[in-house]
Amino acid sequence: MEKRQLTCINCPLGCQLEVVIDKGEIVSIENYGCQRGIEYAKKEIANPKRTVTSILPVIGGELPMVSVKTRTDIPKDKISECMHCLKDLKVGAPVKIGDVIVKNIGNTGVDIIATKKVDKKND
Amino acid sequence: MMYDVIVIGAGVIGANIARELAKYELNIMVLEKNLDVCEGTSKANSGIVHSGYDAKPGSLKAKYNVIGNVLMEDLCKELVVPFKRNGSLVLAFSESESATLKKLLDQGHKNKVKGLAILEKEAIIAKEPNINKNVYQALYAPSGGIVDPFELTLASAEVAFLNDVSFQFGTRVTHIYREDDAFMVVTNRGEYKSRTIVNAAGVFADDINNLISDTKYRILPRKGEYCLFDKQIGDLVTSTIFQLPTKEGKGVLVTPTAEGNLLIGPNSEFVDDKNDTSTSEEGIREVIRRAKQSVDNIPMPFVITAFAGLRATEKNEDFVIGEADDVPGFFNALGIESPGLTAAPAIAIEIAHMVAQKLEAKQSDNYIIKRNKTVHFESLSIKEKQELFLKDKNYGKIICRCELVTLAEILDSIKRPLGAKTVDGVKRRTRAGSGRCQGGFCSPKIVEILAKELGKDLREILKSSEKSTYLIGLDKDLL
Amino acid sequence: MDNRDIVIIGGGPAGLAAAISAYHAGVSDILILERENSLGGILNQCIHNGFGLHKFKEELTGPEYAERYVDQVHELNIEYKLETMVIDITEDKHVIAMNEIEGVIDIKAKTIILAMGCRERPRGALNIPGNRPSGIFTAGTAQKYVNIDGYLPGREVVILGSGDIGLIMARRLTLEGAKVKMVCEILPYSGGLKRNIVQCLDDYDIPLRLSHTITKIHGKERIEAVTVAKVDEFLKPIKETEEYVTCDTLLLSVGLIPENELTRKAGITINPKTQGPIVDSNLETSIPGVYACGNVLHVHDLVDYVSDEASIAGQKAAMFVKNSLISDDKFAVIAGKGVRYTVPSWIIDDSSIAMSIIRFRVDGVYKDHFVTIKLDNEKAYHKQKRILTPGEMEQVMILRKWIDAKPELKTIEILLEED
């Protein structure tokens, strides 16, 4: 049996949910203010996921850097690995929003895509 | 290489001495431990040109203050430095306090200060409507003024530089010894040889003197804290408003600055550390409390920044000017605290004259007075702005939005003689970053411009001193 | 001199949305003036996601959100000038601007839309004692270095203020390799969104120290440490709780101030509570034909609402140009008990508008309170909210039918009630 405390993010109230877990299964959820708290706790315990955003250097672009993100959210415990995969990476100009920069980052099945347009530099 | 004179310190005193020395046929070097001029005592002070009533009659302070006050106006004109004779008022809030005003008036007369008068309540309020209505009488000194201390220092140093005075920054004097007829000045960047030395080292002037002279001095650094306000309320008062002087000095003042801000301060606190220019909560609270005694409706939300400076108070509380008794060729400008800024032009002439006599130097025939004028874009009319733009497109590009500083002005501040090498250097020369957002928007742009102009990486750009970097690496460097 | 129907000052989210909506309302002679080198404003450096949930029902990053509007501006051929700084607006609606290509530009506008955004409160405004070393940044300045230039400001970071930009930067700096030691918030609650507290701080075990502030800055050249202390109920630091925390970087996220220097110079009336111009429900300021929207009007927490608000400003400006605004009569909106301010401050008496949105912020944390709308002392709306905090902007609708039912109506009051 494990007791976990979560802050519900659905509203400014920020209920301090108390979740009891046994062998990965939720035994009880307490201290929720509304139904949305229960849904949130279930999701956060079963498979917490986050979208990761960062920036990467652009070679030959009109801007030095391009912002990127994971196309969808990835498991929370993969965030650090994802960032390490981005280290030392550079992108060639031009880049469009939605261009795939890294396929299947850190074996998450999720691609890293560009979130900004960077044209080629005119010299 | 043998110099005729080495000036130690590029504050307002050192820079003005260098400028006066440049009028003679002399080979001059200025050594400054910081990376720019005006980084010590001259940087953080009230910017007041005192009329001279509060120095003790017969003191060097009284003598140089009164002469300096007269010289300042023409000098600022010559150097194109912001100066305004805005007059000053010392407030008394009761009859008993007024007795002290009379004493100041007498003292002023002894010091030969012109135009002093005691004003009654109505006249004071007519002149300064925002002053505390409980005021009883005030001593009015029409010759009081305000000057931009940094501009005065920079302009003097620039003119010295244009007249072939050398400057070495980041150069700290650690030892001085005699070798034959010369002085050897040992620094962190090697040794310099000179026939004479001028000590204008501010709060460190005692240390420099004590390296070579047996007449020991001791400077007790005395901290003063200030609050600077937005230009929006720069005209809350037009004169410089003093309170009655106490043992600790002239007390907290409320004044417009030569650049148009409002300034309040300083308090007075002896400190042990000559590098301690930190502000304290109690200190700032005291400054605000005491300033409000003079002007009760100072709008505090308009504070832009607080800062502190150190006064170089010598234990005998007077200036020490002249050649050391036991070290021929070693000249002191020591213990230069208030009214040191006012006195600077007079002290400079005196010291330069003494050194020139010692070295039997001739007046130079080709002394250049004029420096290239700096542009203050914000204060120009639309027509003048457009004329400048037609000469240089960089006047069309505004970098600092609060103070309306253009790219052209920033490039000039970097490229001109003794140009800026740091972000604070640019800020002090152009005012970029000194406005209400305090560089939030423009400092990254200035870092970028400096990097480009100095051929450096963004990571190497400094705020002011050698370790004051902005950026420590690239994203993900630490992963 | 150039003549324009609509001049929009600022090409951020507010300016872009106002331009597009003015165009759709039938005015095509529009000029956007933007001081930076690209459209999109501060969204360009907000590379995190979470934008557009209300507007597009999907989670976008800042640059993606901006791009949707920038693309429309291009498609509609709306004219804009970049790196162009407006230096003056006059009461008779001249806009004086400068850029590197044309120098001084003088434009006579039929209407002006103010969309200059806001700036961050700097250190000086806080008067934190100590030295003035390098390594102290406002959160937004650090965001520019990290997200636009690709540089890391420091290794060990303390953040003062728990506004959303500070929270977002705590996560960004952590992801890019810095160690964020703590976020201090002087108030007993955070001004940031709950979601940001969880996903930017809790996810990375960054402590949020509520009721804590920084009482001293240490380090002469680069910042070396800060003194952190707990504050009492009067927000005064408690000496005994002082703690020395080493760091090489201090980020300030202590509030945003609408950028209204131009507005003031033009003589437009400012609301001291918002630091933005006072407007009516058409978002018109005290000078007829000058409109305001977005963060220059009041600081928003969601860009989606900025876009909505700016659309109204654009539409009304277009109607002003076409002389199709019906009414000048208006009712005062009063910020009552518990309400710090409302935007707008007036509702235009226009029977063709079925409802008007009033946005407001409360002045403290209120649990289980009622938001009440009174029309001349008569309750028209009374609804309980589980929680109201100053960090979250609230909004209510004023229905036209309520106004129509009260022919003698003078004022509309928004207030909080316990029951």
Side-chain angles (χ1 to χ4, degrees):
Chain A
M1 295 275 260
E2 184 202 345
K3 208 171 183 176
R4 289 255 294 274
Q5 206 162 47
L6 296 175
T7 306
C8 178
I9 66 169
N10 282 298
C11 83
L13 218 49
C15 293
Q16 294 295 307
L17 311 173
E18 281 173 16
V19 190
V20 179
I21 306 158
D22 191 22
K23 300 185 190 96
E25 296 289 316
I26 295 175
V27 178
S28 67
I29 303 172
E30 278 175 43
N31 224 11
Y32 57 90
C34 68
Q35 197 62 29
R36 290 185 300 173
I38 300 178
E39 295 307 316
Y40 175 74
K42 282 182 183 166
K43 203 172 163 228
E44 272 294 284
I45 298 294
N47 188 11
K49 284 182 159 188
R50 303 285 186 264
T51 298
V52 176
T53 65
S54 184
I55 66 164
L56 294 170
V58 185
I59 303 164
E62 46 155 28
L63 293 174
M65 311 293 288
V66 64
S67 52
V68 298
K69 70 173 182 185
T70 53
R71 190 194 296 275
T72 59
D73 42 15
I74 62 166
K76 208 171 113 179
D77 55 16
K78 289 276 192 179
I79 295 173
S80 169
E81 193 182 333
C82 170
M83 286 306 297
H84 279 92
C85 292
L86 294 177
K87 188 175 156 85
D88 302 327
L89 218 62
K90 288 188 170 70
V91 185
V95 195
K96 291 194 311 297
I97 289 184
D99 280 2
V100 175
I101 307 295
V102 186
K103 275 201 99 58
N104 185 18
I105 186 110
N107 272 326
T108 54
V110 176
D111 299 339
I112 292 282
I113 60 169
T115 58
K116 189 170 178 65
K117 183 175 81 178
V118 180
D119 286 333
K120 265 194 169 158
K121 194 178 186 171
N122 306 319
D123 332 76
Chain B
M1 162 101 138
M2 167 81 112
Y3 292 98
D4 293 316
V5 198
I6 282 181
V7 179
I8 301 172
V12 72
I13 302 294
N16 271 285
I17 291 172
R19 180 183 51 73
E20 287 296 337
L21 281 168
K23 293 177 177 171
Y24 298 92
E25 286 182 355
L26 290 169
N27 189 7
I28 306 155
M29 164 64 91
V30 179
L31 301 179
E32 167 56 51
K33 70 179 168 60
N34 295 301
L35 300 181
D36 203 349
V37 299
C38 200
E39 280 281 356
T41 293
S42 313
K43 171 158 106 176
N45 67 69
S46 316
I48 304 298
V49 178
H50 295 283
S51 56
Y53 53 77
D54 43 13
K56 213 193 283 172
S59 66
L60 292 180
K61 280 184 180 173
K63 174 181 168 192
Y64 292 111
N65 181 342
V66 176
I67 306 172
N69 180 293
V70 174
L71 293 173
M72 191 64 85
E73 190 160 358
D74 285 343
L75 180 62
C76 287
K77 235 177 246 159
E78 185 180 305
L79 297 174
V80 207
V81 168
F83 168 80
K84 201 175 162 193
R85 213 173 272 290
N86 65 324
S88 68
L89 290 171
V90 187
L91 307 185
F93 288 94
S94 65
E95 215 176 322
S96 62
E97 285 191 358
S98 274
T100 315
L101 288 190
K102 304 272 165 10
K103 275 185 212 156
L104 286 178
L105 180 70
D106 288 347
Q107 198 162 273
H109 287 148
K110 277 186 197 142
N111 291 346
K112 301 196 168 62
V113 181
K114 291 192 183 124
L116 294 175
I118 302 277
L119 300 188
E120 299 299 326
K121 181 172 183 159
E122 296 70 35
I124 301 165
I125 290 171
K127 202 171 166 47
E128 295 291 348
N130 286 313
I131 244 162
N132 185 339
K133 302 287 181 291
N134 293 326
V135 70
Y136 180 71
Q137 281 185 327
L139 174 64
Y140 174 53
S143 62
I146 45 180
V147 66
D148 180 339
F150 176 75
E151 278 293 317
L152 178 60
T153 309
L154 179 67
S156 294
E158 270 187 22
V159 170
F161 182 83
L162 290 173
N163 287 287
D164 297 326
V165 174
S166 306
F167 283 78
Q168 279 291 342
F169 293 97
T171 307
R172 181 190 302 268
V173 175
T174 53
H175 299 285
I176 303 172
Y177 62 93
R178 290 213 77 129
E179 198 177 81
D180 307 324
D181 280 345
F183 292 101
M184 296 303 294
V185 180
V186 186
T187 76
N188 58 331
R189 293 164 58 119
E191 292 194 7
Y192 297 84
K193 193 172 185 179
S194 180
R195 293 167 69 198
T196 61
I197 292 176
V198 174
N199 172 19
V203 282
F204 298 93
D206 57 342
D207 299 329
I208 297 290
N209 172 80
N210 298 350
L211 287 174
I212 186 84
S213 169
D214 285 329
T215 310
K216 302 297 181 195
Y217 289 101
R218 180 147 175 246
I219 287 173
L220 307 162
R222 195 155 56 91
K223 195 198 280 185
E225 295 169 68
Y226 293 89
C227 291
L228 185 73
F229 293 75
D230 196 297
K231 282 181 179 174
Q232 273 185 61
I233 59 154
D235 56 359
L236 195 68
V237 292
T238 54
S239 324
T240 300
I241 312 296
F242 291 99
Q243 293 167 356
L244 287 181
T246 62
K247 263 193 181 142
E248 281 98 49
K250 300 181 190 77
V252 168
L253 55 83
V254 180
T255 187
T257 68
E259 307 88 56
N261 297 82
L262 182 82
L263 182 72
I264 64 171
N267 60 349
S268 170
E269 184 201 354
F270 283 103
V271 292
D272 300 325
D273 180 358
K274 289 181 175 178
N275 292 306
D276 176 10
T277 51
S278 64
T279 52
S280 67
E281 200 207 334
E282 307 81 56
I284 294 297
R285 214 182 311 130
E286 185 196 350
V287 165
I288 294 169
R289 181 179 59 77
R290 289 177 54 190
K292 284 190 168 179
Q293 292 170 358
S294 301
V295 181
D296 32 11
N297 59 348
I298 300 172
M300 292 314 295
F302 287 91
V303 172
I304 292 179
T305 188
F307 61 90
L310 295 176
R311 307 171 182 89
T313 307
E314 209 285 320
K315 62 178 188 304
N316 294 320
E317 290 179 13
D318 200 7
F319 297 161
V320 178
I321 309 278
E323 194 171 11
D325 297 339
D326 59 335
V327 192
F330 183 86
F331 296 85
N332 275 317
L334 187 150
I336 313 297
E337 58 172 335
S338 178
L341 176 66
T342 315
I347 293 172
I349 291 173
E350 185 94 336
I351 295 256
H353 183 69
M354 289 176 188
V355 173
Q357 265 195 334
K358 184 91 189 171
L359 295 173
E360 293 171 6
K362 279 197 301 199
Q363 296 254 5
S364 166
D365 295 331
N366 37 20
Y367 176 75
I368 311 161
I369 294 176
K370 289 272 181 254
R371 69 196 271 250
N372 274 340
K373 213 178 136 186
T374 51
V375 170
H376 187 228
F377 192 76
E378 188 183 17
S379 60
L380 302 178
S381 70
I382 295 285
K383 192 166 159 270
E384 292 168 314
K385 284 185 169 107
Q386 183 65 4
E387 279 167 14
L388 271 177
F389 166 77
L390 292 173
K391 280 186 222 149
D392 182 352
K393 301 268 181 244
N394 288 332
Y395 281 109
K397 190 161 183 176
I398 304 215
I399 301 293
C400 166
R401 55 172 88 160
C402 303
E403 298 283 325
L404 221 64
V405 182
T406 62
L407 177 60
E409 290 164 273
I410 289 175
L411 290 175
D412 175 61
S413 78
I414 299 169
K415 290 174 174 170
R416 62 187 294 121
L418 302 176
K421 297 177 277 297
T422 62
V423 174
D424 277 1
V426 170
K427 173 178 170 179
R428 298 161 77 201
R429 283 167 179 79
T430 64
R431 298 187 58 75
S434 60
R436 49 190 74 90
C437 92
Q438 289 285 291
F441 288 110
C442 69
S443 65
K445 291 180 185 174
I446 291 167
V447 167
E448 217 174 299
I449 296 166
L450 272 167
K452 194 171 157 218
E453 292 303 314
L454 304 176
K456 289 182 172 178
D457 185 86
L458 265 52
R459 285 164 287 188
E460 298 173 88
I461 300 305
L462 303 170
K463 179 175 184 284
S464 55
S465 55
E466 274 163 54
K467 288 174 193 147
S468 63
T469 54
Y470 281 85
L471 303 165
I472 60 110
L474 298 176
D475 286 353
K476 304 182 184 63
D477 271 0
L478 302 176
L479 285 178
Chain C
M1 196 184 71
D2 194 6
N3 284 287
R4 294 284 182 161
D5 283 350
I6 302 181
V7 173
I8 300 175
I9 305 174
L16 295 171
I20 293 161
S21 117
Y23 186 94
H24 289 310
V27 174
S28 57
D29 184 17
I30 302 168
L31 176 64
I32 304 172
L33 301 175
E34 166 57 45
R35 58 193 159 200
E36 294 298 322
N37 59 10
S38 62
L39 294 174
I42 215 74
L43 283 174
N44 287 319
Q45 68 182 54
C46 299
I47 65 160
H48 55 282
N49 66 319
F51 300 92
L53 272 168
H54 292 255
K55 200 94 195 124
F56 300 112
K57 309 293 170 221
E58 58 179 311
E59 278 205 64
L60 301 172
T61 64
E64 289 171 316
Y65 187 97
E67 191 73 8
R68 298 202 172 190
Y69 288 87
V70 174
D71 284 348
Q72 284 186 66
V73 163
H74 285 140
E75 277 160 28
L76 301 174
N77 271 318
I78 295 172
E79 204 183 323
Y80 59 88
K81 292 182 197 285
L82 299 177
E83 299 192 83
T84 302
M85 176 77 86
V86 175
I87 55 177
D88 210 1
I89 312 171
T90 63
E91 222 176 314
D92 56 348
K93 286 178 274 185
H94 276 267
V95 176
I96 313 291
M98 293 222 53
N99 67 29
E100 236 177 331
I101 300 159
E102 299 159 273
V104 180
I105 312 162
D106 180 353
I107 308 158
K108 172 84 177 84
K110 282 195 188 130
T111 71
I112 298 171
I113 301 177
L114 306 173
M116 294 89 81
C118 58
R119 64 163 179 269
E120 297 177 280
R121 193 184 298 277
R123 174 194 173 186
L126 304 173
N127 261 330
I128 309 171
N131 290 315
R132 285 161 302 285
S134 71
I136 304 172
F137 305 88
T138 56
T141 305
Q143 190 177 43
K144 176 178 188 296
Y145 281 126
V146 177
N147 290 354
I148 300 279
D149 302 330
Y151 284 85
L152 205 54
R155 288 177 183 82
E156 282 195 315
V157 185
V158 171
I159 300 177
L160 176 62
S162 62
D164 285 312
I165 316 171
L167 302 177
I168 292 287
M169 281 313 293
R171 174 173 65 187
R172 284 292 300 134
L173 286 163
T174 307
L175 288 177
E176 297 297 341
K179 164 85 186 150
V180 177
K181 297 184 93 168
M182 63 176 72
V183 175
C184 298
E185 169 59 58
I186 192 165
L187 297 173
Y189 52 86
S190 165
L193 301 170
K194 267 286 169 309
R195 165 198 159 103
N196 285 336
I197 291 170
V198 171
Q199 300 194 350
C200 299
L201 301 186
D202 297 356
D203 275 3
Y204 303 94
D205 297 321
I206 299 166
L208 172 60
R209 301 277 200 92
L210 295 175
S211 296
H212 277 73
T213 192
I214 288 171
T215 57
K216 188 139 195 170
I217 287 166
H218 306 271
K220 178 92 183 153
E221 298 194 52
R222 173 100 194 185
I223 187 169
E224 288 163 11
V226 289
T227 302
V228 172
K230 198 170 164 34
V231 296
D232 63 20
E233 56 190 305
F234 307 106
L235 307 184
K236 238 180 96 48
I238 305 165
K239 190 95 188 151
E240 301 72 49
T241 63
E242 280 189 349
E243 184 187 344
Y244 185 84
V245 181
T246 59
C247 61
D248 66 0
T249 304
L250 171 64
L251 252 54
L252 303 175
S253 176
V254 289
L256 300 168
I257 308 165
E259 283 233 294
N260 277 301
E261 279 65 42
L262 289 171
T263 319
R264 284 198 183 86
K265 267 164 87 179
I268 291 168
T269 314
I270 300 284
N271 180 343
K273 292 274 177 59
T274 56
Q275 294 286 314
I278 289 184
V279 292
D280 61 28
S281 53
N282 287 349
L283 303 177
E284 190 176 44
T285 66
S286 62
I287 297 184
V290 179
Y291 296 80
C293 54
N295 283 348
V296 81
L297 182 53
H298 59 140
V299 177
H300 296 62
D301 28 47
L302 290 179
V303 71
D304 305 55
Y305 295 145
V306 169
S307 301
D308 282 347
E309 188 179 86
S311 296
I312 294 174
Q315 185 204 0
K316 300 297 177 187
M319 288 168 80
F320 183 94
V321 171
K322 293 166 50 179
N323 238 330
S324 59
L325 287 167
I326 294 166
S327 167
D328 279 339
D329 293 338
K330 44 197 170 189
F331 311 109
V333 181
I334 295 168
K337 192 166 164 279
V339 176
R340 201 161 72 80
Y341 72 82
T342 68
V343 170
S345 302
W346 304 91
I347 290 199
I348 293 282
D349 185 9
D350 179 345
S351 57
S352 69
I353 297 171
M355 63 171 111
S356 304
I357 298 175
I358 306 249
R359 298 201 162 93
F360 65 94
R361 281 184 198 268
V362 297
D363 60 9
V365 178
Y366 294 90
K367 284 190 181 168
D368 299 319
H369 273 59
F370 288 82
V371 174
T372 303
I373 303 175
K374 279 187 186 169
L375 277 69
D376 282 349
N377 283 326
E378 196 176 301
K379 280 184 199 175
Y381 173 94
H382 185 64
K383 195 181 172 201
Q384 192 170 27
K385 296 275 282 185
R386 296 212 47 195
I387 189 160
L388 294 151
T389 70
E392 310 240 345
M393 189 183 285
E394 300 293 330
Q395 60 180 50
V396 288
M397 304 284 182
I398 307 292
L399 301 184
R400 182 66 208 179
K401 61 179 184 194
W402 299 344
I403 298 173
D404 288 337
K406 297 206 60 133
E408 301 288 305
L409 179 65
K410 287 194 184 63
T411 61
I412 299 169
E413 185 183 6
I414 318 286
L415 69 157
L416 305 187
E417 292 182 317
E418 276 181 64
D419 46 38

